[in-house]
Amino acid sequence: MDLETQIQSLISSFVYGMYLSLIYNLSYKYLYSKNIIIKILTNFIYMIVNVITYFTILKLINEGIVHPYFLISLLMGFLVGNKTTKKIRTKKVDKRKKSR
């Protein structure tokens, strides 16, 4: 794999990690619902859709080759994205507490 393809894969993994963080924080109340059926279905759908989407993106960029540093970049993107998008989750929780 040439250097340009690796850089594209690293950047797309980082950006996709940020996207995962955004989707995670938007669907937080469903992922951690008290209803066990909703919790299982939401977690299953969340994981399957995002894994398939990530591998499809890698397939388009570099023929689907996954290196450990792509996964590290994905994790770093998630952590950076979580720093900024965590506010979405806390605002929703604060609104629910105020309405009670």
Side-chain angles (χ1 to χ4, degrees), residues 28-90:
Y28 183 81
K29 77 174 187 179
Y30 299 111
L31 290 171
Y32 294 99
S33 173
K34 290 183 181 179
N35 186 341
I36 192 75
I37 295 171
I38 291 175
K39 186 177 186 178
I40 291 171
L41 283 173
T42 306
N43 279 302
F44 181 74
I45 292 169
Y46 176 80
M47 288 186 335
I48 294 297
V49 167
N50 287 309
V51 166
I52 290 172
T53 305
Y54 180 65
F55 284 118
T56 303
I57 290 170
L58 284 182
K59 179 77 173 150
L60 294 172
I61 295 173
N62 68 3
E63 302 300 321
I65 299 170
V66 179
H67 288 286
Y69 50 87
F70 295 161
L71 299 177
I72 292 169
S73 178
L74 181 75
L75 178 65
M76 294 301 292
F78 184 85
L79 294 175
V80 168
N82 203 34
K83 280 273 196 199
T84 57
T85 60
K86 195 175 192 180
K87 296 173 187 173
I88 295 170
R89 178 176 34 163
T90 56

Side-chain angles (χ1 to χ4, degrees), residues 13-31:
S13 292
F14 186 81
V15 170
Y16 194 73
M18 293 177 73
Y19 166 77
L20 278 177
S21 174
L22 175 67
I23 297 302
Y24 171 76
N25 283 306
L26 287 175
S27 61
Y28 183 81
K29 77 174 187 179
Y30 299 111
L31 290 171

